[in-house]
Amino acid sequence: MDIILKNTVSNYLCFIAKVVSGLILTSLLYNGLGKESYGFWVLLWSVYGYTLLLDFGFGFSIQKSSAEYVHKKDLTKLLRQINSIFFSYVFLAIGIVIFSLAFLYTCGSLFVAELGDPYYQNVYLFFAVVTAIIFPTGIFSEILVGLGHIYLRNIVRLVFISTNAVGILLMPEIKILELTVFSLLLHLIANLFLLYFVKKKISCFSLSIKYFDKSEVRELMRFSLSAYVVIFTNLILFNSDQIILSSIAGVGSVGIYHLATRLPFFMKMLNEQFQENVFPLLVSKRNIKFDMILTGNKFISFISNLSFSFAFVFAEEIIYIWIGETNPEIILIAHLSLCYSFIATLFKSINNSYLMANDQVSKVVRFSLLEVILNLALTFLLVPLIGVVGAVVASLLALFISLLFYVPYFVKQIDVHFSIWYKKIFKKNNLVLLINLSALSIVKLVLNNDYGLLYIATLALVSGLLYLYMFFNFVWDEYKFNNKYLYFVKRYSLDWKGR
């Protein structure tokens, strides 16, 4: 089986495992720990999520370096860069521990009342120390992504998710200290298995302070900080709406907006499972331009069109089955958010990877900042005028305006005329999308609206088969696929097999 296919399938398996595990464990932990301990557990992991911002984009740099220097067979340079980042993380981890201890023994109980209890103090101390140890080991996952062996990382993740879920299910009594010890040590063991796979793929791999080089850190920082700004602006883009809404329209509006955007959020996650393959491949094949961009974009279009057409037409039914809501405002926001997610994925997912792989990360930063600034300004303007819907309308307008600058710049970079780019990537795909949307809409009008799960599942199957039929009959040749696998997979995955 080709490596890109393995990577993509294993990404989807991990996604499904996380969703299923989350659904089971959330209820179990809430009822088993009790409200107070569960709240403390969620708070710990929320704080840990913010410490990941201390990555400063170096994880993305390591993906780039792993792909680039393995392709160039310059493993000495790669080892220096990996060790320089690893020990930079170690120094940061020491800082995290010192800060955590200072917070606990100075003002911790003022912010979190439970930290005045010795039992919760022990939980906090163990969590702080072990997550600081885990922090540098996160680099091993990024190395495997850069090498193109995402499926190896996913094997470890699947085992970790399964073992964690089974271990918690088998606990006779769930207590937060035992839960913390079990989950964190399991996480650390999983990362050490990732280290094992890294050593298997890079025979000369070793971790030693003697390889640490400040000049390598400075060299990587030029790329990593720009990548970090992109990540940070995306964080603002996807989270600022709720903060602005709460200040202008009240907390209740945040709840409506959050519910309405869950469906687009999951659609976005479904569409991005292939994308992780692209960046390291583009780094190692910088001389390849339009053919790789063409195939990658078309594959993303294929997945996005399929998920969008069904989610858009049956958003009302899906939301009702999922959360029991039929509020027209929620349905409208869901439809607009689906459009935003769909357009952003089509135009930016693969294309951003190409620009960043070709040292155009500063341009990606500028386009991202433009969209963020426009989004914030338009949200402040539109929410008072049209309510909660104004937030998602602002996002769409900001996206459209930024694309007016982004698309011409990108087309110029790949040295292809806009008309050719549109024809090769979007023309037939858009036609198939419109036919599928029309067919599903007609089916919905003809049949009585039924919010049953069987009704939705049947239509999902029919929708998928209809789309696949049209795709393989009208767009197959344009995609340069062979009879079994993607041209993209067949041509480029051979480069990774020896790694």
Side-chain angles (χ1 to χ4, degrees):
M1 186 183 290
D2 293 290
I3 194 167
I4 294 179
L5 190 60
K6 284 192 211 176
N7 290 341
T8 305
V9 170
S10 62
N11 270 347
Y12 278 108
L13 290 175
C14 275
F15 171 73
I16 294 168
K18 278 190 246 183
V19 170
V20 173
S21 173
L23 290 173
I24 295 171
L25 293 183
T26 298
S27 174
L28 182 68
L29 292 178
Y30 182 79
N31 293 312
L33 288 172
K35 186 176 180 180
E36 185 179 87
S37 291
Y38 180 75
F40 190 72
W41 170 256
V42 171
L43 180 63
L44 287 175
W45 282 106
S46 297
V47 173
Y48 176 70
Y50 279 102
T51 65
L52 295 179
L53 291 174
L54 294 173
D55 170 81
F56 293 116
F58 282 126
F60 212 58
S61 292
I62 286 301
Q63 287 186 30
K64 183 174 182 286
S65 296
S66 299
E68 184 175 355
Y69 293 115
V70 167
H71 179 69
K72 292 179 178 178
K73 299 187 173 17
D74 189 354
L75 297 183
T76 303
K77 174 79 169 176
L78 177 60
L79 282 180
R80 283 205 309 271
Q81 293 201 343
I82 289 173
N83 277 275
S84 297
I85 298 305
F86 178 81
F87 287 103
S88 295
Y89 282 170
V90 170
F91 301 144
L92 283 170
I94 294 170
I96 291 171
V97 172
I98 293 171
F99 176 81
S100 300
L101 292 174
F103 175 78
L104 175 63
Y105 293 115
T106 54
C107 57
S109 59
L110 296 176
F111 291 94
V112 184
E114 286 78 11
L115 288 178
D117 185 329
Y119 179 78
Y120 284 105
Q121 286 181 1
N122 290 334
V123 175
Y124 173 85
L125 282 172
F126 183 85
F127 188 92
V129 172
V130 179
T131 51
I133 294 170
I134 290 171
F135 181 66
T137 64
I139 196 174
F140 307 135
S141 172
E142 308 294 350
I143 295 170
L144 287 174
V145 173
L147 295 176
H149 292 287
I150 299 169
Y151 74 96
L152 292 176
R153 179 205 65 185
N154 289 340
I155 289 171
V156 174
R157 282 188 176 178
L158 283 167
V159 172
F160 166 74
I161 292 168
S162 305
T163 306
N164 186 59
V166 171
I168 293 172
L169 286 169
L170 293 178
M171 286 182 179
E173 183 180 359
I174 301 177
K175 295 182 178 179
I176 190 168
L177 181 58
E178 288 82 350
L179 175 66
T180 304
V181 172
F182 173 72
S183 294
L184 289 183
L185 290 182
L186 190 61
H187 194 162
L188 180 59
I189 291 168
N191 282 3
L192 293 177
F193 271 103
L194 294 176
L195 171 60
Y196 167 77
F197 284 123
V198 169
K199 290 177 74 70
K200 291 282 286 183
K201 295 300 173 183
I202 305 176
S203 56
C204 62
F205 182 85
S206 65
L207 293 172
S208 173
I209 193 67
K210 70 181 182 182
Y211 291 116
F212 180 80
D213 188 338
K214 289 182 181 178
S215 64
E216 295 291 353
V217 177
R218 286 194 294 269
E219 180 183 332
L220 286 166
M221 194 169 284
R222 285 194 294 270
F223 176 85
S224 65
L225 287 181
S226 296
Y228 183 73
V229 172
V230 174
I231 295 167
F232 195 70
T233 52
N234 285 335
L235 186 67
I236 295 172
L237 199 61
F238 293 113
N239 292 283
S240 60
D241 290 350
Q242 297 180 39
I243 297 170
I244 296 171
L245 276 172
S246 66
S247 64
I248 298 176
V251 177
S253 63
V254 178
I256 292 173
Y257 189 80
H258 180 78
L259 287 174
T261 53
R262 289 308 84 196
L263 179 60
F265 172 76
F266 281 110
M267 189 192 83
K268 182 174 180 290
M269 289 182 68
L270 278 171
N271 294 340
E272 290 180 347
Q273 300 308 311
F274 169 76
Q275 186 185 339
E276 201 172 19
N277 291 283
V278 176
F279 178 71
L281 200 58
L282 287 167
V283 170
S284 61
K285 290 285 184 183
R286 291 193 186 195
N287 59 316
I288 306 257
K289 286 193 176 183
F290 190 58
D291 56 348
M292 183 180 286
I293 295 298
L294 174 66
T295 313
N297 267 299
K298 286 183 173 179
F299 188 83
I300 288 290
S301 298
F302 166 65
I303 299 171
S304 300
N305 287 356
L306 179 59
S307 59
F308 172 75
S309 57
F310 181 79
F312 187 84
V313 173
F314 295 103
E316 184 178 355
E317 290 81 356
I318 294 169
I319 289 172
Y320 178 79
I321 291 171
W322 188 16
I323 55 178
E325 276 287 351
T326 56
N327 184 335
E329 189 175 30
I330 291 179
I331 307 304
L332 176 59
I333 294 170
H335 279 126
L336 293 174
S337 297
L338 283 166
C339 291
Y340 174 86
S341 179
F342 175 66
I343 295 166
T345 300
L346 280 185
F347 283 95
K348 288 193 169 184
S349 58
I350 300 295
N351 301 344
N352 273 354
S353 295
Y354 173 81
L355 292 174
M356 295 179 78
N358 285 273
D359 298 323
Q360 297 290 318
V361 66
S362 62
K363 296 294 184 182
V364 178
V365 168
R366 291 177 190 177
F367 291 123
S368 297
L369 286 173
L370 173 64
E371 186 179 349
V372 166
I373 293 167
L374 287 169
N375 191 11
L376 293 175
L378 289 167
T379 300
F380 275 112
L381 177 67
L382 293 175
V383 169
L385 295 175
I386 57 176
V388 183
V389 177
V392 69
V393 172
S395 297
L396 271 169
L397 288 174
L399 177 63
F400 282 131
I401 295 169
S402 67
L403 286 176
L404 291 176
F405 299 94
Y406 179 90
V407 170
Y409 177 80
F410 175 75
V411 172
K412 183 179 178 181
Q413 291 303 304
I414 59 174
D415 196 24
V416 174
H417 194 272
F418 176 82
S419 60
I420 296 174
W421 177 74
Y422 173 79
K423 180 181 178 182
K424 291 287 186 181
I425 295 176
F426 295 111
K427 188 175 180 181
K428 287 192 175 182
N429 225 4
N430 286 350
L431 178 61
V432 171
L433 172 64
L434 287 172
I435 293 171
N436 202 36
L437 281 170
S438 302
L440 286 171
S441 299
I442 292 168
V443 169
K444 184 176 178 178
L445 287 172
V446 170
L447 299 176
N448 293 324
N449 279 339
D450 182 355
Y451 294 128
L453 186 60
L454 180 61
Y455 167 76
I456 294 295
T458 303
L459 286 177
L461 178 62
V462 173
S463 166
L465 291 174
L466 173 65
Y467 182 78
L468 289 172
Y469 174 80
M470 289 188 294
F471 174 79
F472 289 122
N473 279 278
F474 300 115
V475 199
W476 181 270
D477 292 336
E478 286 284 322
Y479 280 28
K480 298 182 181 178
F481 290 169
N482 60 24
N483 289 331
K484 193 172 182 182
Y485 299 120
L486 291 172
Y487 167 79
F488 187 66
V489 173
K490 185 177 180 181
R491 178 168 177 181
Y492 300 116
S493 63
L494 293 173
D495 293 316
W496 281 342
K497 289 187 176 178
R499 295 186 184 181

